[in-house]
């Protein structure tokens, strides 16, 4: 069975050596000293390794079942969910007014990584609840907040998001679900939703669905869509549960992975719902949930890869195959371990350098969200720009990394017994849901680059430029980190300039290069993160703070990324500058 151990030391390095969170001046961050965050992460890691990791394969093998209209989760999930609730993990970064602990979003994201690595399908139940909580917290009335949030914070009630319909995925303008207003201020919701993660299950008393539907007078486009709170059980005035609402599970989807999560077809047959936010402004309210979910899915991409990588490293150290080309390194044994071979080392370094850079980018992004919550508009604009990059790039590369980890096992990686297949299968969905990665790339190029006159992408460029200038006198890092980062940033700026010069004349020139641009941006962002980590690691070595091996390993891993991965920005730029003609040349009949 696969193993997993929370990478607490690396998380602590990012939180304290790089981001210096306790000294950031943000509300609540002064509490995040080294001892406190270490205790939290160690406790999360213990729950993850001892309880959630063993259930991961159980969830994969058993899946969920639908019996007489009730969804049953795999053996052990209910007991584990109770431990999550009792430990306060579901309430970590929620508002204390509704029973939360009021910790920064960054700490919630860090513990979320641990739980996703251990058991992604299980963690989705509380993860989606958190997203629904955030939408109600941001857009709900005081009455709605008091009615729903305390039970959602504790996960006595869980939450979902209902967007997709059989004929309508990305293009929500085609949405058909209807909302008919009633005299008492409620609406009757009618329609069918598909692919609803955690749509129903036996681990909570109630499920609070957030449902997109069209109310009269809104028109045909997405501008006419409203968002509604539709509980599985109606809630009485005193907070107790009332009658069952007219919402039911039509079917459970048969999926490639995340079998332990109940992905449902939901039927709304005149179900009673209440408007969340403004009428016909449902997309604005839903995007509060979607943006958080997209950061969370980016985390899923690299968190699954972290678990796969840990197992690949153990296998590479234990499995004896062949001899090192430079001479036997295990002369007493019949063969050397796999890890002596350069191509295995190349694979493991690809994995390690991506994972540590991805973690830094996700933590940095969460820190921007905390800054935005404190009123920093620049941080809000920056994380809005970076959300499609974090979601799209980290899940694309995260999936690739699980495949690399599986490949280390050779034929055994293809056998279910070793568990590597599950990491690959589970990771594949991250590239699709919460906005397929092609859509993320289109959003980045067509909307986010030009947002607010392009000032957010310019702010990113200025941050990189200022960082390089600040550290240009650091000879230990100049050639290995600063110069490659400068080159990557120039490639990114050249790509943006190509879109500016050519996209207006022919929008296809921009859209045909959007996916490459997302990856170019992703590599540049990871290069920036690695340069920041290198500065912190070199500083720790210079100051003799101890644990030199950790910091030397960090620098060596960063050098690998800068030399072997970051040059991909040049390839992506070349593809972008080839324009739309090679992409659009064939007629549809020629495919």
């Amino acid at each position: 069975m696969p193993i997993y151990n929370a990478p607490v030391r690396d998380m602590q390095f990012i939180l304290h050596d790089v981001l210096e969170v306790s000294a950031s001046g943000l509300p609540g961050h002064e509490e995040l000293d080294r001892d406190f965050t270490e205790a939290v992460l160690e406790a999360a890691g213990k729950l993850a390794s001892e309880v959630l990791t063993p259930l991961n394969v159980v969830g994969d093998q058993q899946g969920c079942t639908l019996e007489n209209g009730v969804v049953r989760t795999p053996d052990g999930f209910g007991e584990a969910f109770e431990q999550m609730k009792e430990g306060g993990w579901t309430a970590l970064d929620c508002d204390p007014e509704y029973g939360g602990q009021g910790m920064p979003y960054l700490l919630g994201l860090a513990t979320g990584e641990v739980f996703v690595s251990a058991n992604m399908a299980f963690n989705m139940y509380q993860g989606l609840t958190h997203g629904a909580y955030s939408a109600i917290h941001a857009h709900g009335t005081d009455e709605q907040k008091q009615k729903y949030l305390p039970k959602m914070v504790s996960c006595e009630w869980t939450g979902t998001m209902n967007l997709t319909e059989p004929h309508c995925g990305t293009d929500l303008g085609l949405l058909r679900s209807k909302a008919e207003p009633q005299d008492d201020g409620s609406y009757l919701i009618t329609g069918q939703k598909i692919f609803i993660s955690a749509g129903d299950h036996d681990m909570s008393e109630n499920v609070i669905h957030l449902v997109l539907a069209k109310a009269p007078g809104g028109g045909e486009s997405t501008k006419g869509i409203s968002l509604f709170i539709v509980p599985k059980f109606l809630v009485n005035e005193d907070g107790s549960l009332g009658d069952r609402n007219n919402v039911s599970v039509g079917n459970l989807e048969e999926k490639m992975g995340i079998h332990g999560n109940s992905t449902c077809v939901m039927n709304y047959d005149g179900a009673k719902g209440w408007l969340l936010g403004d009428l016909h402004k449902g997309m604005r309210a839903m995007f509060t949930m979607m943006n958080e979910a997209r950061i969370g899915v980016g985390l899923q991409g690299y968190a699954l890869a972290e678990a796969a990588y840990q197992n690949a490293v153990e296998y590479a150290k234990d499995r004896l195959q062949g001899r090192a080309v430079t001479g036997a390194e295990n002369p007493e044994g019949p063969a050397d371990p796999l890890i002596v071979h350069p191509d295995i080392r190349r694979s493991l370094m690809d994995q390690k350098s991506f994972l540590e850079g991805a973690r830094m980018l996700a933590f940095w992004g969460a820190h921007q969200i905390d800054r935005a919550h404190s009123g920093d508009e620049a941080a809000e604009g920056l994380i809005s720009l970076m959300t499609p990059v974090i979601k799209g790039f980290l899940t694309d590369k995260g999936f690739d990394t699980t495949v690399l980890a599986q490949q280390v096992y050779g034929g055994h990686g293809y056998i279910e017994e070793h568990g590597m297949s599950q990491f690959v299968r589970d990771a594949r969905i991250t590239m699709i849901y919460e906005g397929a990665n092609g859509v993320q790339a289109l959003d980045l190029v067509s909307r986010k680059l030009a947002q607010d006159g392009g000032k957010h992408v310019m702010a990113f460029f200025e941050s990189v430029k200022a960082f390089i200038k600040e550290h240009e006198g650091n000879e230990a890092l100049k050639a290995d980190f600063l110069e490659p980062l400068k080159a990557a940033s120039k490639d990114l700026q050249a790509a943006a300039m190509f879109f500016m010069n050519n996209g207006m004349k022919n929008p296809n020139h921009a859209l045909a290069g959007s996916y490459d641009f997302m990856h170019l941006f992703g590599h540049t962002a990871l290069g920036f993160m690695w340069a920041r980590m290198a500065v912190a690691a070199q500083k720790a070595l210079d100051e003799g703070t101890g644990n030199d091996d950790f910091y030397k390993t960090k620098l060596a891993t960063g050098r690998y990324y800068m030399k072997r991965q970051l040059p991909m920005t040049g390839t992506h730029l070349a593809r972008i500058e080839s324009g739309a003609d090679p992409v659009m040349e064939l007629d549809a009949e020629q495919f």
Side-chain angles (χ1 to χ4, degrees):
M1 185 176 69
I3 54 94
Y4 170 71
N5 294 294
V8 174
R9 180 65 188 88
D10 198 57
M11 292 177 165
Q12 287 283 88
F13 168 74
I14 295 172
L15 290 173
H16 300 290
D17 293 74
V18 187
L19 295 177
E20 299 179 328
V21 289
S22 60
S24 64
L26 295 177
H29 283 60
E30 68 279 357
E31 300 178 28
L32 303 184
D33 59 39
R34 286 182 185 270
D35 290 342
F36 177 76
T37 58
E38 183 176 28
V40 171
L41 294 172
E42 290 283 2
K46 188 174 190 294
L47 178 62
S49 60
E50 295 180 4
V51 178
L52 303 187
T53 297
L55 289 176
N56 198 36
V57 67
V58 175
D60 188 53
Q61 292 176 350
Q62 290 187 5
C64 297
T65 56
L66 179 61
E67 301 173 357
N68 300 319
V70 178
V71 176
R72 307 292 183 190
T73 51
D75 292 345
F77 270 45
E79 293 83 354
F81 204 61
E82 288 302 312
Q83 289 190 54
M84 293 287 287
K85 292 190 290 186
E86 290 169 5
W89 297 107
T90 64
L92 196 66
D93 62 331
C94 295
D95 190 340
E97 183 174 347
Y98 306 104
Q101 298 179 42
M103 290 290 106
Y105 176 75
L106 173 57
L107 190 60
L109 180 130
T111 58
E113 178 195 324
V114 173
F115 297 141
V116 169
S117 290
N119 194 327
M120 172 173 150
F122 174 88
N123 194 66
M124 289 170 64
Y125 292 99
Q126 67 162 344
L128 286 157
T129 303
H130 192 287
Y133 152 87
S134 295
I136 296 173
H137 189 270
H139 301 284
T141 65
D142 289 340
E143 180 185 357
Q144 288 172 336
K145 293 176 186 179
Q146 292 296 337
K147 177 179 282 190
Y148 297 108
L149 294 188
K151 294 291 183 72
M152 295 177 74
V153 166
S154 66
C155 269
E156 293 172 75
W157 300 349
T158 55
T160 71
M161 53 196 300
N162 285 236
L163 291 80
T164 307
E165 300 182 1
H167 56 282
C168 164
T170 300
D171 188 357
L172 290 172
L174 300 175
L175 186 142
R176 294 176 185 163
S177 293
K178 299 295 183 184
E180 292 296 330
Q182 305 299 298
D183 292 340
D184 64 358
S186 66
Y187 289 76
L188 294 184
I189 311 300
T190 303
Q192 185 179 78
K193 301 290 183 175
I194 63 172
F195 306 158
I196 308 306
S197 300
D200 194 74
H201 55 88
D202 55 0
M203 299 192 300
S204 68
E205 298 172 349
N206 204 1
V207 182
I208 310 303
H209 301 287
L210 299 191
V211 184
L212 288 180
K214 290 185 175 180
E220 294 301 314
S221 71
T222 57
K223 295 179 181 179
I225 295 174
S226 301
L227 184 62
F228 299 90
I229 300 174
V230 187
K232 175 181 175 180
F233 288 97
L234 299 176
V235 182
N236 297 321
E237 290 297 322
D238 62 0
S240 63
L241 296 183
D243 294 336
R244 174 72 185 254
N245 208 348
N246 291 326
V247 53
S248 61
V249 180
N251 195 18
L252 288 180
E253 305 285 7
E254 293 288 338
K255 309 186 297 289
M256 175 181 176
I258 54 170
H259 296 153
N261 194 267
S262 53
T263 307
C264 302
V265 174
M266 303 299 301
N267 294 323
Y268 294 86
D269 300 306
K272 202 158 191 173
W274 288 265
L275 182 67
L276 178 60
D278 296 328
L279 187 64
H280 308 316
K281 303 293 184 182
M283 294 303 295
R284 183 169 67 91
M286 180 58 83
F287 268 108
T288 297
M289 189 172 184
M290 285 291 288
N291 285 334
E292 178 180 315
R294 285 170 175 172
I295 298 292
V297 173
L299 177 145
Q300 288 177 343
Y302 83 82
L304 284 169
E306 169 68 35
Y309 165 74
Q310 289 188 18
N311 286 274
V313 169
E314 291 300 310
Y315 189 81
K317 291 178 178 178
D318 292 340
R319 175 72 168 173
L320 302 181
Q321 291 285 284
R323 290 293 189 190
V325 69
T326 53
E329 296 195 16
N330 179 33
E332 302 303 317
D336 290 333
L338 281 172
I339 202 164
V340 306
H341 302 299
D343 191 59
I344 294 294
R345 292 290 192 100
R346 184 265 319 159
S347 173
L348 293 175
M349 287 299 290
D350 278 352
Q351 296 169 54
K352 181 177 173 64
S353 64
F354 163 72
L355 288 166
E356 294 180 14
R359 177 174 298 114
M360 174 67 203
L361 180 60
F363 280 31
W364 172 87
H367 203 208
Q368 299 307 309
I369 290 175
D370 282 329
R371 291 185 182 280
H373 287 167
S374 71
D376 188 333
E377 293 183 2
E380 184 172 1
L382 193 55
I383 194 58
S384 177
L385 169 72
M386 296 303 296
T387 292
V389 179
I390 291 172
K391 195 282 182 184
F393 183 71
L394 295 193
T395 58
D396 273 357
K397 300 302 290 185
F399 173 74
D400 289 347
T401 300
T402 63
V403 172
L404 286 173
Q406 181 189 39
Q407 190 76 10
V408 170
Y409 279 70
H412 291 288
Y414 198 67
I415 304 301
E416 293 292 342
E417 172 188 351
H418 291 274
M420 301 306 287
S421 167
Q422 184 184 354
F423 294 128
V424 173
R425 289 184 285 104
D426 285 357
R428 187 62 184 88
I429 187 59
T430 65
M431 301 162 67
I432 300 172
Y433 65 4
E434 307 303 348
N437 286 356
V439 176
Q440 300 301 318
L442 294 178
D443 178 50
L444 175 64
V445 169
S446 62
R447 292 181 62 246
K448 298 300 176 63
L449 281 185
Q451 191 173 15
D452 296 327
K455 73 175 185 179
H456 305 306
V457 72
M458 293 306 298
F460 177 84
F461 291 140
E462 285 302 314
S463 294
V464 173
K465 183 179 178 181
F467 175 86
I468 293 171
K469 184 173 180 60
E470 179 184 358
H471 298 286
E472 61 186 359
N474 191 332
E475 292 299 326
L477 302 177
K478 186 174 182 179
D480 289 336
F481 290 94
L482 301 182
E483 291 178 359
L485 174 59
K486 183 185 292 186
S489 182
K490 286 182 177 179
D491 285 343
L492 185 61
Q493 292 177 64
M497 188 61 67
F498 176 84
F499 291 154
M500 186 181 300
N501 292 336
N502 297 276
M504 294 296 290
K505 292 179 288 186
N506 181 357
N508 281 340
H509 283 311
L511 300 185
S514 61
Y515 212 91
D516 278 289
F517 186 82
M518 182 177 72
H519 275 247
L520 199 168
F521 209 146
H523 277 297
T524 304
L526 256 64
F528 188 22
M529 297 300 112
W530 266 116
R532 293 187 62 176
M533 288 191 286
V535 167
Q538 188 63 55
K539 178 184 177 184
L541 285 173
D542 293 343
E543 294 177 352
T545 57
N547 202 349
D548 285 4
D549 185 61
F550 173 86
Y551 296 116
K552 289 177 181 177
T553 301
K554 182 64 67 175
L555 287 166
T557 306
R559 284 193 293 270
Y560 181 91
Y561 191 87
M562 305 305 269
K563 292 178 184 295
R564 299 276 302 211
Q565 295 295 326
L566 195 56
M568 281 299 298
T569 60
T571 299
H572 290 300
L573 176 60
R575 291 173 177 171
I576 290 166
E577 291 180 337
S578 72
D581 292 346
V583 176
M584 306 301 293
E585 186 172 359
L586 296 183
D587 293 331
E589 293 75 17
Q590 293 177 287
F591 281 90

